[in-house]
Amino acid sequence: MEFFAKLLVCFFAGAGAGIGTGFAGMSAAAVIGPMLITFLDIPAYHAIGIGLASDVLASAMSAWTYKKHKNLDVKNSLPLLITVLLMTVTGSFIASLLPDRAMGSTTQIALIFVGLRFILKPVQTTKEQMNALSRKEQIVKSVIGGVIVGFICGFIGAGGGMMLLFVLTSFLSYEMHMAVGTSVFIMAFTALTGSLSHFSIGGMPDVPCLILCMLFTLIWAQIASKIANRADAKTLNRVVGVVMIVTSIVILTVNYLK
């Protein structure tokens, strides 16, 4: 019965995380963390580590799917990637010094408004318009955005992917498909760095939960990313917005139940 309960929680956590990753480039830890903390009583630091580890393969495979559809910008995203990685380690270390806690609601409320932004004011930038931003301006904005996103991802393990998508579309003027593809590409490295930091600092978590969450997140992320690449920009904006809002509401509800 205990394993069945674990299997059920991990399935729903992985499904929600995978759909969010494939469609919106969000961090799997945003869903998996609160679910494991609330329903399986896994310590918060370990739960976040499991969520980040689940994000690695799911984001990497989603990024590959976006690359096949020419919706991935590796070269121009490197300054953002490097800054995010450095700040993820910093945030993870600081989080280890604090008392065990559930994820705060402030980030989730903020992401509801970000989701509404994508629904009410869809990103209409074209790939041609993306290239109009000067290299210097792009690097400066990438570093500033990377500091914020990396710290969020490492510190609370949630919101990093969705905030990264916001930075790519709002600050760096990325086209929507390219933004999601680049977001999951960066999140694969961020999640790997964050999970290794969590495991090296806090020790190995519940192994069956880790394996189940990684498996279910990967499966659903692949399904979602393939659908997303076939959708037009306006539809993808709306789907991303809905995914953000629904995910945030679910997480707030789960945290309230705890």
Side-chain angles (χ1 to χ4, degrees), residues 20-243:
T21 298
F23 272 123
M26 59 172 271
S27 170
V31 177
I32 291 176
M35 293 281 286
L36 298 185
I37 293 167
T38 302
F39 296 111
L40 296 180
D41 292 322
I42 291 178
Y45 198 73
H46 282 176
I48 293 171
I50 291 173
L52 289 170
S54 301
D55 215 357
V56 178
L57 279 179
S59 291
M61 293 305 296
S62 295
W64 178 252
T65 300
Y66 278 91
K67 182 181 183 298
K68 289 193 294 185
H69 289 82
K70 298 181 179 180
N71 289 318
L72 174 58
D73 182 15
V74 175
K75 181 181 177 181
N76 294 320
S77 65
L78 290 180
L80 181 60
L81 169 60
I82 294 170
T83 308
V84 168
L85 290 180
L86 292 173
M87 291 307 299
T88 297
V89 175
T90 303
S92 178
F93 175 73
I94 294 175
S96 70
L97 303 177
L98 300 178
D100 196 32
R101 71 209 183 286
M103 297 174 193
S105 60
T106 304
T107 301
Q108 305 309 327
I109 294 173
L111 291 175
I112 290 177
F113 287 99
V114 174
L116 287 173
R117 182 264 189 189
F118 284 114
I119 294 174
L120 300 177
K121 191 179 179 182
V123 176
Q124 300 292 344
T125 309
T126 63
K127 291 181 180 178
E128 290 73 22
Q129 291 172 321
M130 276 177 51
N131 299 323
L133 197 66
S134 71
R135 182 61 177 166
K136 181 180 179 181
E137 186 179 2
Q138 186 179 57
I139 291 175
V140 171
K141 289 183 176 181
S142 294
V143 171
I144 295 173
V147 168
I148 298 171
V149 173
F151 185 79
I152 289 174
C153 186
F155 185 69
I156 62 175
M162 291 182 276
M163 291 306 296
L164 184 58
L165 183 63
F166 181 76
V167 167
L168 287 168
T169 54
S170 298
F171 294 168
L172 299 175
S173 302
Y174 270 57
E175 182 268 339
M176 193 62 185
H177 288 85
M178 188 71 76
V180 177
T182 303
S183 175
V184 291
F185 168 73
I186 294 175
M187 285 306 300
F189 292 94
T190 305
L192 178 61
T193 304
S195 59
L196 290 177
S197 297
H198 273 66
F199 295 158
S200 62
I201 294 171
M204 280 299 292
D206 185 300
V207 176
C209 276
L210 175 63
I211 295 173
L212 289 171
C213 285
M214 290 180 69
L215 176 63
F216 291 133
T217 303
L218 175 61
I219 292 172
W220 283 98
Q222 277 294 281
I223 295 172
S225 61
K226 289 178 180 179
I227 296 173
N229 274 283
R230 296 191 183 100
D232 59 69
K234 191 172 183 179
T235 300
L236 184 58
N237 270 271
R238 288 174 176 170
V239 171
V240 167
V242 170
V243 168

